[in-house]
Amino acid sequence: MRVLYSETINVDKDVHLECLQWMQKVHIPQMLATGLFEENRILRLVNEEQNTGVTYSLQFVLKNRSDLAEYQNVYETQFRSALYNKYTNKLVDFVTILELIE
């Protein structure tokens, strides 16, 4: 059963474009380089509340829960730490795991 790993990130408005470019050029390619993800997409929340920053959803599809467990055990802390270290006090995030219904 395929699994969706969704990372929702709210970034301060003053750095959101820089952060988006960094995610596209560094963060996402590094995650894909693990070889665990079949596909990915990045989305932007369109119904933002005023003064709450800009929210992005990074979505990655894995072929099964075993690949998800490997990602979480081996890579997740490293990649999320890199994001927080680069944008200290400029973002918050949370991860949601969903099962794809096909």
Side-chain angles (χ1 to χ4, degrees):
M1 176 101 22
R2 295 191 334 146
V3 177
L4 179 75
Y5 178 94
S6 178
E7 185 176 11
T8 302
I9 304 166
N10 182 271
V11 185
D12 286 357
K13 288 180 182 179
D14 62 328
V15 295
H16 86 92
L17 289 176
E18 174 193 327
C19 183
L20 175 62
Q21 289 177 346
W22 180 81
M23 289 187 294
Q24 291 172 316
K25 292 180 180 176
V26 178
H27 186 63
I28 293 171
Q30 287 176 343
M31 290 180 69
L32 295 175
T34 66
L36 295 169
F37 300 103
E38 294 184 324
E39 59 187 82
N40 76 292
R41 66 184 69 90
I42 186 167
L43 301 98
R44 180 176 171 175
L45 186 66
V46 295
N47 61 336
E48 291 281 350
E49 296 290 327
Q50 292 295 324
N51 301 316
T52 62
V54 178
T55 302
Y56 297 101
S57 175
L58 307 182
Q59 298 182 352
F60 300 86
V61 176
L62 301 105
K63 62 184 164 191
N64 54 49
R65 289 186 185 193
S66 176
D67 285 353
L68 172 64
E70 181 178 345
Y71 175 75
Q72 290 175 316
N73 293 330
V74 176
Y75 301 103
E76 185 176 50
T77 299
Q78 168 191 339
F79 290 131
R80 291 185 74 199
S81 293
L83 181 65
Y84 272 95
N85 289 338
K86 178 118 179 109
Y87 295 100
T88 304
N89 299 319
K90 294 290 187 177
L91 61 81
V92 294
D93 80 328
F94 64 90
V95 171
T96 306
I97 308 299
L98 302 131
E99 188 175 272
L100 272 70
I101 308 298
E102 301 178 289

